Amino acid sequence: MASSSSSTLLLLSPLPLSDLSYKPLRPHYPHFLLPHCHERHRRRRRLLTRAKKGRGGGDSAEPPDRIISAVCYLYPFLDGVHFGRFLLAQFPPIQLIIFPFAPAIRLFSASPLNPFLIFLTLYFAVVRNPSSFSRYVRYNTMQAIVLDVLLIFPDLIERFFAPRDGVGLDIVMSIDSTVFLFLLISMIYGSTTCLLGQVPRLPIVADAADRQVM
């Protein structure tokens, strides 16, 4: 009986602090759920990193970043301003909106290589250069580039069909005028939003730009 009582007292006696080790509780996931949980944590870390870099904040973009991003939206507009020839001929007051950009349009159209050279400069020197430019600048630059790439489709319609009269010409005029108005609205919206320090998201273009910019 003495031995049993002594062993009972030994079990009930408190252990010294040196023998206790604190082990924090960790969530236990089944092995088949581990890849999904890790991916969810990585996605959460990416969202936090983007938030810190000013992707969604209105006041987080510095003034130089806002100006550079706003200027980038001139690129697709200058490359597609020729789509507005029918609309400008029918509604001359719209020329007042285009008049301030006349010097830039003449400079842009001075050489057929200018659009391609500007494309290479914006893509490789800005979008693919995270060490020199913030994600805010690279995202807006990529959005302007994607918008310019989409101009290939109306260009192909004009070159392959090129109707001179009839219903075909009416269709081409409608397409060109729609493209021009979309470029004009995109430039005004994108540049104004960037100058305010916010993030413009153009339809179709925004998701493609997000996938390209890390």
Side-chain angles (χ1 to χ4, degrees), residues 19-54:
D19 294 338
L20 295 176
S21 59
Y22 172 73
K23 296 181 179 180
L25 295 177
R26 296 180 179 178
H28 176 71
Y29 300 108
H31 67 281
F32 58 86
L33 290 179
L34 285 177
H36 173 71
C37 296
H38 292 333
E39 178 62 28
R40 184 176 59 186
H41 294 325
R42 283 196 294 266
R43 190 182 304 114
R44 185 177 302 172
R45 285 197 298 268
R46 286 197 299 267
L47 292 176
L48 291 175
T49 303
R50 290 181 179 180
K52 291 179 180 179
K53 291 182 178 180

Side-chain angles (χ1 to χ4, degrees), residues 37-164:
C37 296
H38 292 333
E39 178 62 28
R40 184 176 59 186
H41 294 325
R42 283 196 294 266
R43 190 182 304 114
R44 185 177 302 172
R45 285 197 298 268
R46 286 197 299 267
L47 292 176
L48 291 175
T49 303
R50 290 181 179 180
K52 291 179 180 179
K53 291 182 178 180
R55 179 177 180 268
D59 299 327
S60 57
E62 299 295 331
D65 293 344
R66 300 182 187 187
I67 296 173
I68 295 173
S69 300
V71 172
C72 287
Y73 286 99
L74 283 174
Y75 169 56
F77 175 75
L78 296 178
D79 198 16
V81 70
H82 62 277
F83 289 108
R85 61 187 184 275
F86 300 114
L87 190 64
L88 295 176
Q90 293 179 358
F91 303 97
I94 301 180
Q95 297 179 12
L96 298 176
I97 303 176
I98 311 300
F99 182 75
F101 304 100
I105 294 173
R106 286 194 294 267
L107 184 62
F108 187 87
S109 306
S111 172
L113 293 177
N114 284 345
F116 181 67
L117 294 177
I118 295 176
F119 169 81
L120 295 178
T121 302
L122 292 178
Y123 186 76
F124 290 103
V126 179
V127 176
R128 295 303 179 187
N129 191 6
S131 60
S132 300
F133 296 96
S134 65
R135 189 186 188 277
Y136 184 84
V137 175
R138 294 184 294 115
Y139 164 78
N140 285 287
T141 304
M142 190 66 215
Q143 195 166 219
I145 291 175
V146 175
L147 182 60
D148 182 74
V149 171
L150 293 180
L151 297 180
I152 294 175
F153 298 104
D155 276 333
L156 291 176
I157 293 176
E158 282 192 351
R159 293 185 181 183
F160 282 99
F161 294 99
R164 296 183 178 180

